[in-house]
Every structure is written in structure tokens, then in C-alpha cells.
Amino acid sequence: QVQLVESGGGLVQPGGSLRLSCVVSGRPSTTYTLAWFRQAPGKDREFVAGRSWSGHNIYYGESVKGRFYGSGDIAKNTLVLQMDALKAMDSAVYYCAAARSAVVDTTISYWDYWGQGTQVTVSS
């Protein structure tokens, strides 16, 4: 019974910050990795950030580098995304995902499990 639940979304003004969290229940496997994706209306689902099982590799999407910071503890089945300097373009539903793998891949089909998403709206 693998379940991913996101929280922390909301409405924020441009330049503001939000902190998202993802909690995974029913550990997918002994070795797995976690990532954040987002999807805006009419757009493809986009890779935001991900962490390999080893913790040595953390990846960020080009559009969020320098503004978003991913952290958390896979062993505790948690993933956190600190989002700073938010822009209107960051408005989207944010999803966490899990894969039965030790590495991160940015392609949608790679991921085995998905949360239901949390809405982030950046607007004045």
C-alpha cells in the first residue's frame, strides 16, 4: 500500500516562499528514490527536484535552480521542497513521485508512484 501525500501548497505573492512536504507510507522497496514534479494548466509535467537513494546526488530542474532547495530523509520516507523567490511561472500542481530505483530520472514514465498533488499559486 504505497501512498504519497503532498502538503504545504497555497497562495503566495511573487517573491514569497512556500515549503512543501511529501510523506511516503508503505515503503515502495528497500531501495527507492524520490522526486518533485509540477504541472501547470496546459503544460507537460515538469521535473523540479530529485534525490538519489545514496543522497550524494540531488538534481534540480533548470527553471528552479538557485531558488528551490530539496531536502529530507528517504529513510524516514519524507521529502521537503523549500521554494523561495517564487514567480508566477511556478504556479502549478506539485507532485511527489517515487521509483523503485537508486537513481533519479527526469522522465515521467520512469516513476512508479505518484501523489495527488498540492496546488501552488503565485499571484499578486
Side-chain angles (χ1 to χ4, degrees):
Q1 295 181 336
V2 177
Q3 185 175 2
L4 285 67
V5 180
E6 305 93 339
S7 63
L11 175 65
V12 64
Q13 293 184 327
S17 299
L18 284 174
R19 186 179 181 89
L20 307 182
S21 64
C22 174
V23 177
V24 182
S25 61
R27 192 176 185 182
S29 65
T30 302
T31 300
Y32 69 97
T33 188
L34 295 169
W36 289 99
F37 287 78
R38 67 186 183 186
Q39 188 166 24
K43 302 293 184 180
D44 293 333
R45 194 163 295 190
E46 175 189 19
F47 176 79
V48 176
R51 178 184 175 179
S52 64
W53 174 253
S54 69
H56 296 316
N57 300 103
I58 302 177
Y59 305 93
Y60 296 95
E62 186 68 27
S63 63
V64 306
K65 287 181 178 179
R67 300 187 299 117
F68 291 10
Y69 178 74
S71 63
D73 190 340
I74 293 178
K76 296 180 179 179
N77 296 335
T78 60
L79 186 67
V80 173
L81 184 68
Q82 176 67 42
M83 306 186 296
D84 297 323
L86 284 162
K87 305 174 181 179
M89 61 169 285
D90 297 317
S91 296
V93 177
Y94 283 70
Y95 301 88
C96 59
R100 297 188 296 272
S101 174
V103 300
V104 171
D105 191 287
T106 61
T107 60
I108 301 300
S109 61
Y110 177 83
W111 301 89
D112 300 303
Y113 307 100
W114 293 88
Q116 294 300 306
T118 184
Q119 177 70 53
V120 172
T121 302
V122 184
S123 177
S124 60

